Amino acid sequence: MPNIVVVGAQWGDEGKGKIIDILSERADYVVRYQGGSNAGHTIILGDKEFILHLIPSGIIRQGKICIIGNGVALDPISLVEEITFLKNKNIKVTPANLLISQNTHVIFPYHKVLDSLREDSSREGMSKIGTTKRGIGPCYADKVSRCGIRFIDLLNKEIFKEKLRFNIKEKNTLIKILYKHKGFSFDKIYKQYLVLAKKIKPFVTDTSVIINNAIRNKKNVLFEGAQGTLLDIDHGTYPFVTSSNATSGGACTGSGIGPVSINQVIGVVKAYTTRVGEGPFPTEFEAPLMEKIRNLGKEFGATTGRPRRCGWFDSVIVKHSVNINGIGKIAVTKLDVLDTMKKIKICTAYKFKGKTFSNFPSDLTILKNAKPIYEEHDGWLKDTSHLTNFNALPTNAKKYLHRLEELVNAKVSIVSVGSERKQTIFR
């Protein structure tokens, strides 16, 4: 198995958790390289459900070394809760199988409050983003502003004290004047995070050295992306995006490796399209079909529980993802959700003011107002959830998948027809 990056090729929630879990069987290391507790990767094992927000999905398998890279915005409170959750499910989590980059930036209570206040307040000329209010954006903003606090800083009391004092003073000034908030206590946060730092310290190390040594020693490394390409801060539907690079390039900066170390990129897509939060969505269903697909696919956010918006497969955005990420193979999830559909549509282009757009337009005006151009395909009207061989799929299901390949310029290598490991077809 080469070194593989797994990315979402739509607006997130594509089923990356299951795909990572399956591929991790042959991996030695699983590296999470961006995002934070705003992600939710779900793994189903029999009657057990694991929803992971920070720890790589490979933690469920024995003998795998999981790494949280420097590109992650890490909430230590959520991390401790997640470790406890896994231990209560009899999953081993120790410094032998979980490592955290010393350069990972830390989320503080003021980040969460700022995130919530900005989202809830009306900003003239600005739309709500649909943030999860987990403090991710403000944490990354501090990182870019060069006033962020890393895990390595938490381990030095004097440096931590100096940096935290500056941040508390700055944030208190901002939120008291702009949002009329009471502000934060330096002493309370300082003491709380010293306790958290002591708990997490055994896991913290220079993970870039470990990952690069693993690659030199021909170990198999699996890089786990969070969110999706259309939520990428640079290449997504800005400003309705996340605050990190959710693309394959983020694996390099977010874990400390060179691009030549990546051998393959696999994009994960649903057999239809979903989106959580605000922002343009050209192929979004009308209410009756939305409700049907949402219930069939259990389309509710793993992190927030919010109902996902659903629509037809949009080949324009996936083709964009294939180009941006260098995707060679795609994993199609939730094909079984379409089993009862008599007719299935695929968006092949957009039309706006008489002009046809076959490539992804960055202009939100076009995305908001464009009419999708559809191909209509006959459904297969057969249960696929028990199938394990690609050739056993109904003829129309295979035709549908072949057409997706043609439109997005990537090969379908995995098809998921249910939430369990065994409900997976390898091609």
Side-chain angles (χ1 to χ4, degrees):
M1 173 182 165
N3 300 318
I4 295 174
V5 180
V6 176
V7 295
Q10 295 163 315
W11 277 290
D13 307 307
E14 301 96 346
K16 295 182 293 298
K18 176 184 174 178
I19 302 303
I20 289 285
D21 172 61
I22 289 168
L23 294 177
S24 67
E25 182 179 11
R26 297 175 60 194
D28 300 300
Y29 292 77
V30 183
V31 182
R32 171 76 183 278
Y33 60 85
Q34 49 79 218
S37 56
N38 55 342
H41 292 175
T42 304
I43 300 164
I44 305 292
L45 298 182
D47 60 350
K48 292 183 179 180
E49 180 182 67
F50 300 89
I51 300 178
L52 302 174
H53 301 283
L54 287 166
I55 298 175
S57 301
I59 200 73
I60 306 301
R61 291 189 183 271
Q62 291 185 357
K64 311 301 175 184
I65 297 175
C66 293
I67 294 176
I68 296 175
N70 58 275
V72 173
L74 207 154
D75 181 349
I77 298 172
S78 296
L79 177 65
V80 170
E81 288 175 351
E82 197 160 302
I83 290 172
T84 302
F85 162 78
L86 287 167
K87 287 182 176 178
N88 290 338
K89 295 268 191 176
N90 297 316
I91 301 296
K92 183 180 76 169
V93 184
T94 72
N97 70 337
L98 176 65
L99 302 172
I100 301 167
S101 171
Q102 58 192 11
N103 291 328
T104 301
H105 279 251
V106 180
I107 292 175
F108 287 87
Y110 50 78
H111 290 133
K112 297 178 188 178
V113 170
L114 272 170
D115 205 0
S116 183
L117 289 172
R118 285 171 179 167
E119 181 72 5
D120 293 339
S121 65
S122 57
R123 296 179 292 171
E124 187 177 350
M126 299 291 285
S127 301
K128 289 184 181 294
I129 301 301
T131 173
T132 59
K133 303 179 182 180
R134 301 297 175 96
I136 311 299
C139 179
Y140 280 124
D142 278 359
K143 178 179 180 177
V144 175
S145 297
R146 294 162 294 188
C147 65
I149 300 174
R150 304 165 300 161
F151 259 107
I152 193 70
D153 302 321
L154 283 186
L155 304 182
N156 184 315
K157 289 184 180 181
E158 291 308 310
I159 289 177
F160 176 41
K161 184 182 292 185
E162 179 185 345
K163 290 192 171 187
L164 182 64
R165 199 180 296 281
F166 170 84
N167 274 280
I168 292 287
K169 182 180 179 181
E170 181 187 59
K171 269 63 173 184
N172 279 350
T173 301
L174 173 65
I175 65 175
K176 284 178 180 178
I177 294 174
L178 192 58
Y179 299 108
K180 312 302 180 187
H181 188 276
K182 63 181 181 180
F184 298 92
S185 163
F186 167 83
D187 290 335
K188 182 179 178 181
I189 294 176
Y190 181 69
K191 290 174 183 176
Q192 179 190 18
Y193 273 67
L194 284 181
V195 173
L196 290 166
K198 188 175 180 180
K199 290 182 179 179
I200 297 171
K201 182 179 179 180
F203 299 92
V204 178
T205 187
D206 188 342
T207 55
S208 175
V209 170
I210 291 168
I211 298 168
N212 279 288
N213 283 340
I215 292 170
R216 283 191 203 96
N217 292 321
K218 307 301 181 185
K219 300 294 184 182
N220 297 322
V221 184
L222 188 59
F223 295 90
E224 177 176 3
Q227 288 87 38
T229 299
L230 274 296
L231 293 176
D232 183 273
I233 188 71
D234 285 304
H235 302 290
T237 48
Y238 189 90
F240 302 98
V241 293
T242 193
S243 300
S244 61
N245 286 114
T247 46
S248 59
C252 297
T253 55
S255 60
I257 63 162
V260 293
S261 297
I262 296 171
N263 301 117
Q264 188 179 112
V265 181
I266 296 176
V268 185
V269 299
K270 276 180 184 160
Y272 46 101
T273 310
T274 62
R275 176 166 199 166
V276 172
E278 306 299 324
F281 188 173
T283 67
E284 189 167 9
F285 293 140
E286 296 293 333
L289 186 53
M290 175 91 72
E291 195 66 21
K292 177 180 178 178
I293 295 297
R294 184 181 285 157
N295 290 328
L296 284 171
K298 300 185 174 79
E299 296 296 353
F300 299 90
T303 298
T304 62
R306 289 182 294 182
R308 295 177 185 138
R309 300 155 65 191
C310 305
W312 294 117
F313 188 92
D314 187 338
S315 70
V316 179
I317 66 168
V318 177
K319 183 171 68 172
H320 171 69
S321 295
V322 168
N323 290 338
I324 292 298
N325 292 291
I327 293 169
K329 295 181 179 180
I330 56 176
V332 178
T333 64
K334 295 197 174 184
L335 184 73
D336 55 300
V337 174
L338 301 181
D339 284 351
T340 60
M341 303 294 294
K342 290 182 179 179
K343 297 288 182 180
I344 300 170
K345 294 181 181 181
I346 303 172
C347 171
T348 60
Y350 308 142
K351 193 145 196 170
F352 179 69
K353 291 187 175 180
K355 185 176 179 181
T356 299
F357 294 84
S358 57
N359 293 313
F360 174 73
S362 296
D363 188 341
L364 282 192
T365 302
I366 297 172
L367 282 170
K368 285 179 181 177
N369 300 292
K371 299 295 181 185
I373 298 172
Y374 286 119
E375 287 182 356
E376 189 171 80
H377 295 256
D378 291 329
W380 41 93
L381 299 177
K382 292 179 181 177
D383 178 19
T384 61
S385 63
H386 63 287
L387 300 178
T388 57
N389 186 287
F390 188 86
N391 291 328
L393 284 168
T395 299
N396 285 344
K398 286 186 284 189
K399 285 182 178 178
Y400 180 70
L401 294 171
H402 286 313
R403 185 57 180 148
L404 298 189
E405 289 179 324
E406 292 172 350
L407 289 167
V408 306
N409 300 319
K411 192 78 172 174
V412 174
S413 61
I414 300 172
V415 181
S416 174
V417 290
S419 57
E420 296 185 19
R421 283 174 176 169
K422 64 182 180 180
Q423 293 177 294
T424 309
I425 298 169
F426 293 93
R427 188 173 171 216

CSV table of all heavy atoms in Angstrom, one decimal, residues 8-52:
chain,number,residue,atom,x,y,z
A,8,GLY,N,-12.3,14.5,1.0
A,8,GLY,CA,-13.7,14.7,0.6
A,8,GLY,C,-13.7,15.5,-0.7
A,8,GLY,O,-13.0,16.5,-0.8
A,9,ALA,N,-14.5,15.1,-1.6
A,9,ALA,CA,-14.5,15.7,-2.9
A,9,ALA,C,-15.8,16.5,-3.1
A,9,ALA,O,-16.1,17.0,-4.3
A,9,ALA,CB,-14.4,14.7,-4.0
A,10,GLN,N,-16.6,16.7,-2.1
A,10,GLN,CA,-17.8,17.5,-2.2
A,10,GLN,C,-17.8,18.5,-1.0
A,10,GLN,O,-16.8,19.1,-0.8
A,10,GLN,CB,-19.1,16.6,-2.1
A,10,GLN,CG,-19.2,15.7,-3.4
A,10,GLN,CD,-20.1,14.5,-3.2
A,10,GLN,OE1,-20.1,13.8,-2.1
A,10,GLN,NE2,-20.9,14.2,-4.2
A,11,TRP,N,-18.9,18.7,-0.3
A,11,TRP,CA,-19.0,19.6,0.8
A,11,TRP,C,-18.8,18.9,2.2
A,11,TRP,O,-19.4,19.3,3.1
A,11,TRP,CB,-20.3,20.4,0.8
A,11,TRP,CG,-20.3,21.6,-0.2
A,11,TRP,CD1,-19.6,22.7,0.0
A,11,TRP,CD2,-21.0,21.7,-1.4
A,11,TRP,NE1,-19.8,23.6,-1.1
A,11,TRP,CE2,-20.7,23.0,-1.9
A,11,TRP,CE3,-21.9,20.9,-2.1
A,11,TRP,CZ2,-21.2,23.5,-3.1
A,11,TRP,CZ3,-22.4,21.4,-3.3
A,11,TRP,CH2,-22.1,22.7,-3.8
A,12,GLY,N,-18.0,17.9,2.2
A,12,GLY,CA,-17.9,17.2,3.5
A,12,GLY,C,-19.0,16.1,3.7
A,12,GLY,O,-19.9,16.0,2.8
A,13,ASP,N,-18.9,15.4,4.7
A,13,ASP,CA,-19.9,14.3,5.1
A,13,ASP,C,-20.0,13.3,4.0
A,13,ASP,O,-21.1,12.6,3.8
A,13,ASP,CB,-21.3,15.0,5.3
A,13,ASP,CG,-21.2,16.1,6.3
A,13,ASP,OD1,-20.7,15.9,7.4
A,13,ASP,OD2,-21.7,17.2,6.0
A,14,GLU,N,-19.0,13.0,3.3
A,14,GLU,CA,-19.0,12.0,2.2
A,14,GLU,C,-18.9,10.6,2.6
A,14,GLU,O,-19.1,9.7,1.8
A,14,GLU,CB,-17.9,12.3,1.1
A,14,GLU,CG,-17.9,13.7,0.5
A,14,GLU,CD,-17.0,14.7,1.2
A,14,GLU,OE1,-16.6,14.4,2.4
A,14,GLU,OE2,-16.8,15.8,0.7
A,15,GLY,N,-18.5,10.4,3.9
A,15,GLY,CA,-18.3,9.0,4.4
A,15,GLY,C,-16.8,8.7,4.5
A,15,GLY,O,-16.5,7.5,4.4
A,16,LYS,N,-16.0,9.7,4.7
A,16,LYS,CA,-14.6,9.5,4.8
A,16,LYS,C,-14.2,8.6,6.0
A,16,LYS,O,-13.2,7.8,5.9
A,16,LYS,CB,-13.8,10.8,4.9
A,16,LYS,CG,-14.0,11.7,3.7
A,16,LYS,CD,-13.2,13.0,3.9
A,16,LYS,CE,-13.8,13.9,5.0
A,16,LYS,NZ,-15.2,14.4,4.7
A,17,GLY,N,-14.9,8.7,7.1
A,17,GLY,CA,-14.6,7.8,8.2
A,17,GLY,C,-14.6,6.4,7.9
A,17,GLY,O,-13.7,5.6,8.3
A,18,LYS,N,-15.6,5.9,7.2
A,18,LYS,CA,-15.7,4.5,6.9
A,18,LYS,C,-14.6,4.1,5.9
A,18,LYS,O,-13.9,3.1,6.1
A,18,LYS,CB,-17.0,4.2,6.2
A,18,LYS,CG,-17.1,2.7,5.7
A,18,LYS,CD,-18.4,2.4,5.0
A,18,LYS,CE,-18.3,1.0,4.4
A,18,LYS,NZ,-19.5,0.5,3.7
A,19,ILE,N,-14.3,5.0,4.9
A,19,ILE,CA,-13.3,4.7,3.9
A,19,ILE,C,-11.9,4.6,4.6
A,19,ILE,O,-11.1,3.7,4.3
A,19,ILE,CB,-13.3,5.7,2.8
A,19,ILE,CG1,-14.7,5.7,2.1
A,19,ILE,CG2,-12.2,5.4,1.8
A,19,ILE,CD1,-15.1,4.3,1.5
A,20,ILE,N,-11.6,5.6,5.5
A,20,ILE,CA,-10.4,5.6,6.2
A,20,ILE,C,-10.2,4.3,7.1
A,20,ILE,O,-9.2,3.7,7.1
A,20,ILE,CB,-10.3,6.8,7.1
A,20,ILE,CG1,-10.1,8.1,6.3
A,20,ILE,CG2,-9.1,6.7,8.1
A,20,ILE,CD1,-8.7,8.2,5.7
A,21,ASP,N,-11.3,4.0,7.7
A,21,ASP,CA,-11.3,2.7,8.6
A,21,ASP,C,-11.0,1.5,7.7
A,21,ASP,O,-10.2,0.7,8.1
A,21,ASP,CB,-12.7,2.6,9.2
A,21,ASP,CG,-12.8,1.3,10.0
A,21,ASP,OD1,-12.0,1.0,10.9
A,21,ASP,OD2,-13.7,0.5,9.6
A,22,ILE,N,-11.6,1.4,6.6
A,22,ILE,CA,-11.3,0.2,5.7
A,22,ILE,C,-9.8,0.2,5.2
A,22,ILE,O,-9.1,-0.8,5.3
A,22,ILE,CB,-12.3,0.2,4.5
A,22,ILE,CG1,-13.7,-0.1,5.0
A,22,ILE,CG2,-11.8,-0.8,3.4
A,22,ILE,CD1,-14.8,0.1,4.0
A,23,LEU,N,-9.4,1.4,4.7
A,23,LEU,CA,-8.0,1.5,4.2
A,23,LEU,C,-7.0,1.3,5.3
A,23,LEU,O,-5.8,0.9,5.0
A,23,LEU,CB,-7.8,2.8,3.4
A,23,LEU,CG,-8.7,3.0,2.2
A,23,LEU,CD1,-8.4,4.4,1.6
A,23,LEU,CD2,-8.3,1.9,1.1
A,24,SER,N,-7.3,1.7,6.5
A,24,SER,CA,-6.4,1.6,7.6
A,24,SER,C,-5.9,0.2,8.0
A,24,SER,O,-4.9,0.0,8.6
A,24,SER,CB,-6.9,2.3,8.8
A,24,SER,OG,-8.0,1.6,9.4
A,25,GLU,N,-6.7,-0.8,7.5
A,25,GLU,CA,-6.3,-2.2,7.7
A,25,GLU,C,-4.9,-2.5,7.2
A,25,GLU,O,-4.2,-3.2,7.8
A,25,GLU,CB,-7.3,-3.1,7.0
A,25,GLU,CG,-7.0,-4.6,7.3
A,25,GLU,CD,-8.1,-5.5,6.6
A,25,GLU,OE1,-8.8,-5.1,5.8
A,25,GLU,OE2,-8.0,-6.7,6.9
A,26,ARG,N,-4.5,-1.8,6.1
A,26,ARG,CA,-3.2,-2.1,5.5
A,26,ARG,C,-2.2,-0.9,5.8
A,26,ARG,O,-1.1,-1.0,5.3
A,26,ARG,CB,-3.3,-2.3,4.0
A,26,ARG,CG,-4.2,-3.5,3.6
A,26,ARG,CD,-4.4,-3.5,2.1
A,26,ARG,NE,-3.1,-3.6,1.4
A,26,ARG,CZ,-3.0,-3.4,0.1
A,26,ARG,NH1,-4.0,-3.1,-0.6
A,26,ARG,NH2,-1.8,-3.5,-0.5
A,27,ALA,N,-2.6,0.0,6.6
A,27,ALA,CA,-1.8,1.2,6.9
A,27,ALA,C,-1.0,0.9,8.2
A,27,ALA,O,-1.5,0.2,9.1
A,27,ALA,CB,-2.6,2.4,7.1
A,28,ASP,N,0.1,1.5,8.4
A,28,ASP,CA,0.9,1.5,9.6
A,28,ASP,C,0.6,2.7,10.4
A,28,ASP,O,0.6,2.7,11.7
A,28,ASP,CB,2.4,1.4,9.3
A,28,ASP,CG,2.8,0.1,8.5
A,28,ASP,OD1,2.5,-1.0,9.0
A,28,ASP,OD2,3.3,0.3,7.4
A,29,TYR,N,0.5,3.8,9.7
A,29,TYR,CA,0.2,5.1,10.4
A,29,TYR,C,-1.0,5.8,9.8
A,29,TYR,O,-1.2,5.7,8.5
A,29,TYR,CB,1.4,6.1,10.2
A,29,TYR,CG,2.6,5.7,10.9
A,29,TYR,CD1,3.5,4.7,10.4
A,29,TYR,CD2,3.1,6.3,12.1
A,29,TYR,CE1,4.6,4.3,11.0
A,29,TYR,CE2,4.2,5.9,12.8
A,29,TYR,CZ,5.0,4.9,12.2
A,29,TYR,OH,6.2,4.6,12.9
A,30,VAL,N,-1.8,6.4,10.6
A,30,VAL,CA,-3.0,7.2,10.1
A,30,VAL,C,-2.8,8.6,10.6
A,30,VAL,O,-2.7,8.8,11.9
A,30,VAL,CB,-4.3,6.6,10.5
A,30,VAL,CG1,-5.5,7.4,9.9
A,30,VAL,CG2,-4.4,5.2,10.1
A,31,VAL,N,-2.8,9.6,9.7
A,31,VAL,CA,-2.4,11.0,10.1
A,31,VAL,C,-3.6,11.9,9.8
A,31,VAL,O,-4.0,12.0,8.6
A,31,VAL,CB,-1.2,11.5,9.4
A,31,VAL,CG1,-0.8,12.9,9.8
A,31,VAL,CG2,0.0,10.6,9.6
A,32,ARG,N,-4.1,12.6,10.8
A,32,ARG,CA,-5.1,13.7,10.6
A,32,ARG,C,-4.3,15.0,10.5
A,32,ARG,O,-3.5,15.3,11.3
A,32,ARG,CB,-6.0,13.7,11.8
A,32,ARG,CG,-7.0,14.9,11.9
A,32,ARG,CD,-8.2,14.7,10.9
A,32,ARG,NE,-9.0,15.9,11.0
A,32,ARG,CZ,-9.9,16.2,12.0
A,32,ARG,NH1,-10.1,15.2,12.9
A,32,ARG,NH2,-10.5,17.3,12.1
A,33,TYR,N,-4.6,15.7,9.4
A,33,TYR,CA,-3.7,16.9,9.1
A,33,TYR,C,-4.4,18.3,9.0
A,33,TYR,O,-3.7,19.3,8.9
A,33,TYR,CB,-3.0,16.7,7.7
A,33,TYR,CG,-3.9,16.5,6.5
A,33,TYR,CD1,-4.4,17.6,5.8
A,33,TYR,CD2,-4.3,15.2,6.0
A,33,TYR,CE1,-5.2,17.5,4.7
A,33,TYR,CE2,-5.1,15.1,4.9
A,33,TYR,CZ,-5.6,16.2,4.3
A,33,TYR,OH,-6.4,16.1,3.2
A,34,GLN,N,-5.7,18.4,9.2
A,34,GLN,CA,-6.3,19.7,9.3
A,34,GLN,C,-7.7,19.6,9.9
A,34,GLN,O,-8.1,18.5,10.3
A,34,GLN,CB,-6.4,20.3,7.9
A,34,GLN,CG,-7.0,19.4,6.8
A,34,GLN,CD,-8.6,19.3,6.8
A,34,GLN,OE1,-9.1,18.2,6.5
A,34,GLN,NE2,-9.3,20.4,7.1
A,35,GLY,N,-8.3,20.8,10.1
A,35,GLY,CA,-9.6,20.8,10.8
A,35,GLY,C,-9.5,20.7,12.3
A,35,GLY,O,-8.4,20.7,12.9
A,36,GLY,N,-10.6,20.5,12.9
A,36,GLY,CA,-10.6,20.3,14.3
A,36,GLY,C,-11.9,19.5,14.8
A,36,GLY,O,-12.3,18.6,14.0
A,37,SER,N,-12.4,19.8,15.9
A,37,SER,CA,-13.6,19.1,16.4
A,37,SER,C,-14.9,19.5,15.7
A,37,SER,O,-15.9,19.1,16.0
A,37,SER,CB,-13.7,19.3,17.9
A,37,SER,OG,-13.8,20.7,18.2
A,38,ASN,N,-14.7,20.3,14.6
A,38,ASN,CA,-15.9,20.6,13.7
A,38,ASN,C,-16.1,19.4,12.8
A,38,ASN,O,-17.1,19.4,12.1
A,38,ASN,CB,-15.7,21.9,12.9
A,38,ASN,CG,-14.4,21.9,12.2
A,38,ASN,OD1,-13.4,21.1,12.4
A,38,ASN,ND2,-14.3,22.8,11.2
A,39,ALA,N,-15.2,18.5,12.7
A,39,ALA,CA,-15.3,17.3,11.9
A,39,ALA,C,-16.0,16.2,12.6
A,39,ALA,O,-16.0,16.2,13.9
A,39,ALA,CB,-13.9,16.8,11.4
A,40,GLY,N,-16.7,15.3,11.9
A,40,GLY,CA,-17.3,14.1,12.5
A,40,GLY,C,-17.2,13.0,11.6
A,40,GLY,O,-17.8,12.9,10.6
A,41,HIS,N,-16.3,12.0,11.9
A,41,HIS,CA,-16.1,10.8,11.1
A,41,HIS,C,-16.7,9.6,11.8
A,41,HIS,O,-16.4,9.3,13.0
A,41,HIS,CB,-14.6,10.6,10.9
A,41,HIS,CG,-14.0,11.6,10.0
A,41,HIS,ND1,-12.7,11.7,9.7
A,41,HIS,CD2,-14.6,12.7,9.3
A,41,HIS,CE1,-12.5,12.7,8.9
A,41,HIS,NE2,-13.6,13.3,8.7
A,42,THR,N,-17.7,9.0,11.2
A,42,THR,CA,-18.5,7.9,11.8
A,42,THR,C,-18.0,6.6,11.3
A,42,THR,O,-17.9,6.3,10.1
A,42,THR,CB,-20.0,8.1,11.5
A,42,THR,OG1,-20.4,9.4,11.9
A,42,THR,CG2,-20.8,7.1,12.2
A,43,ILE,N,-17.9,5.6,12.3
A,43,ILE,CA,-17.5,4.3,12.0
A,43,ILE,C,-18.5,3.3,12.6
A,43,ILE,O,-18.8,3.5,13.8
A,43,ILE,CB,-16.1,3.9,12.4
A,43,ILE,CG1,-15.1,4.9,11.8
A,43,ILE,CG2,-15.7,2.5,12.1
A,43,ILE,CD1,-13.7,4.9,12.5
A,44,ILE,N,-19.0,2.4,11.9
A,44,ILE,CA,-20.0,1.4,12.4
A,44,ILE,C,-19.4,0.1,12.5
A,44,ILE,O,-18.9,-0.5,11.4
A,44,ILE,CB,-21.3,1.4,11.6
A,44,ILE,CG1,-21.9,2.8,11.4
A,44,ILE,CG2,-22.3,0.4,12.2
A,44,ILE,CD1,-22.5,3.4,12.6
A,45,LEU,N,-19.3,-0.5,13.6
A,45,LEU,CA,-18.8,-1.9,13.8
A,45,LEU,C,-19.9,-2.7,14.5
A,45,LEU,O,-20.1,-2.6,15.8
A,45,LEU,CB,-17.5,-1.9,14.6
A,45,LEU,CG,-16.3,-1.2,14.1
A,45,LEU,CD1,-15.1,-1.4,15.0
A,45,LEU,CD2,-16.0,-1.8,12.7
A,46,GLY,N,-20.7,-3.5,13.7
A,46,GLY,CA,-21.8,-4.2,14.3
A,46,GLY,C,-22.8,-3.3,14.9
A,46,GLY,O,-23.3,-2.4,14.3
A,47,ASP,N,-23.0,-3.4,16.2
A,47,ASP,CA,-24.0,-2.6,16.9
A,47,ASP,C,-23.3,-1.4,17.6
A,47,ASP,O,-24.0,-0.6,18.3
A,47,ASP,CB,-24.8,-3.4,17.9
A,47,ASP,CG,-23.9,-4.0,19.0
A,47,ASP,OD1,-22.7,-4.0,18.9
A,47,ASP,OD2,-24.5,-4.5,20.0
A,48,LYS,N,-22.0,-1.2,17.3
A,48,LYS,CA,-21.3,-0.1,17.9
A,48,LYS,C,-21.1,1.0,16.9
A,48,LYS,O,-20.7,0.8,15.8
A,48,LYS,CB,-20.0,-0.5,18.5
A,48,LYS,CG,-20.1,-1.5,19.7
A,48,LYS,CD,-18.7,-1.8,20.2
A,48,LYS,CE,-18.8,-2.7,21.5
A,48,LYS,NZ,-17.4,-3.1,22.0
A,49,GLU,N,-21.3,2.3,17.4
A,49,GLU,CA,-21.1,3.4,16.5
A,49,GLU,C,-20.0,4.3,17.2
A,49,GLU,O,-20.1,4.6,18.4
A,49,GLU,CB,-22.4,4.2,16.4
A,49,GLU,CG,-22.2,5.5,15.5
A,49,GLU,CD,-23.5,6.3,15.3
A,49,GLU,OE1,-23.9,6.9,16.4
A,49,GLU,OE2,-24.0,6.3,14.2
A,50,PHE,N,-19.0,4.7,16.4
A,50,PHE,CA,-17.9,5.5,16.9
A,50,PHE,C,-18.0,6.8,16.0
A,50,PHE,O,-17.8,6.8,14.8
A,50,PHE,CB,-16.6,4.9,16.7
A,50,PHE,CG,-16.4,3.6,17.5
A,50,PHE,CD1,-16.8,2.4,16.9
A,50,PHE,CD2,-15.9,3.6,18.8
A,50,PHE,CE1,-16.7,1.2,17.5
A,50,PHE,CE2,-15.8,2.4,19.4
A,50,PHE,CZ,-16.2,1.2,18.8
A,51,ILE,N,-18.2,7.9,16.7
A,51,ILE,CA,-18.1,9.2,16.0
A,51,ILE,C,-16.9,10.0,16.5
A,51,ILE,O,-16.8,10.3,17.7
A,51,ILE,CB,-19.4,10.1,16.2
A,51,ILE,CG1,-20.6,9.3,15.7
A,51,ILE,CG2,-19.2,11.4,15.6
A,51,ILE,CD1,-21.9,10.1,15.9
A,52,LEU,N,-15.9,10.1,15.7
A,52,LEU,CA,-14.6,10.7,16.1
A,52,LEU,C,-14.5,12.1,15.5
A,52,LEU,O,-14.9,12.4,14.3
A,52,LEU,CB,-13.5,9.9,15.5
A,52,LEU,CG,-13.5,8.4,16.0
A,52,LEU,CD1,-12.3,7.6,15.4
A,52,LEU,CD2,-13.3,8.4,17.5
